[in-house]
Amino acid sequence: MKHLTKLLISGAVATSVAGTVYAEGPFEEQIKARQGFYEVVKFNMETLGDMVKGKRDYDPVVAEAAAKNIYSLSTLNNALLWPKGSDSSAADTHAKPEIWSNFDDVKQKHRAWNQAAEKLATNAGKGMGQMKASFGPVGKSCKSCHNDYKTK
Ligand code: HEC
């Protein structure tokens, strides 16, 4: 858990939550909260995705706000949402058990999201072309983690 704690506070957040007492199963609250977290991430990604696909007009103010939200979300300390054992082998969740055994790789993938999102936050308000160019890598960073650590 200490490892995952560090994972989830990677990036701009440097807080330490070592010593925190983690809840025991069945983990419903943690699972609900982390899925809700990703739904908020997705909403902001879809806002930009709709602009990229031409489903909604590019608006630099909206684009920058959504991109900054995505970046901010990537810096949150969500360590309390990922207690050991709250995986798809034991609970109603899409989180694969491998998350807890492949810590270094998950950390890398989280960081890749955080770094791509930082670029997107910088570029999203600078025009459709720049937004689009920075949006792709963020989408790839989501998929890269889901492919290995999220069940269908
Ligand atoms: C480091 C790994 C990782 C990264 C990066 C990541 N995700 Fe996820 N995501 C997960 C895991 C694990 C779950 C399953 C959570 C669960 O079911 O408890 C998930 C679940 C989701 C869900 C489903 C939530 C629900 O209602 O059940 C959505 C939507 C989602 N992610 C969107 C995104 C988007 C969009 C990005 C990129 C901007 C992203 N994720 C980046 C690991 C990641």
Side-chain angles (χ1 to χ4, degrees):
M1 193 61 232
K2 232 169 157 188
H3 280 162
L4 197 68
T5 298
K6 279 193 211 141
L7 149 72
L8 290 154
I9 59 171
S10 66
V13 185
T15 326
S16 168
V17 293
T20 305
V21 177
Y22 293 92
E24 298 295 321
F27 310 125
E28 274 129 6
E29 290 304 315
Q30 287 94 336
I31 291 167
K32 198 164 77 181
R34 73 198 188 202
Q35 291 178 342
F37 164 81
Y38 283 121
E39 290 296 327
V40 179
V41 175
K42 178 185 162 198
F43 178 82
N44 285 281
M45 282 294 280
E46 279 179 348
T47 301
L48 296 174
D50 285 351
M51 291 181 195
V52 169
K53 290 179 204 142
K55 285 191 190 166
R56 93 184 259 167
D57 290 339
Y58 173 77
D59 176 330
V61 176
V62 174
E64 189 175 355
K68 283 187 168 164
N69 285 345
I70 294 160
Y71 173 63
S72 297
L73 288 159
S74 78
T75 69
L76 290 192
N77 182 344
N78 277 342
L80 288 170
L81 305 185
W82 299 89
K84 205 165 185 206
S86 66
D87 62 67
S88 58
S89 73
D92 187 12
T93 165
H94 295 281
K96 287 191 185 172
E98 286 79 4
I99 290 172
W100 287 266
S101 50
N102 292 353
F103 160 69
D104 281 339
D105 189 48
V106 181
K107 179 169 125 179
Q108 190 89 15
K109 289 181 191 304
H110 182 91
R111 240 184 224 138
W113 169 33
N114 173 255
Q115 286 169 357
E118 189 171 18
K119 288 201 186 92
L120 179 63
T122 306
N123 294 330
K126 294 180 181 168
M128 181 64 181
Q130 293 219 48
M131 187 273 271
K132 202 172 162 182
S134 303
F135 179 74
V138 177
K140 278 194 191 129
S141 75
C142 315
K143 279 204 194 84
S144 160
C145 191
H146 291 172
N147 285 345
D148 290 347
Y149 299 112
K150 180 176 171 287
T151 63
K152 300 281 170 209

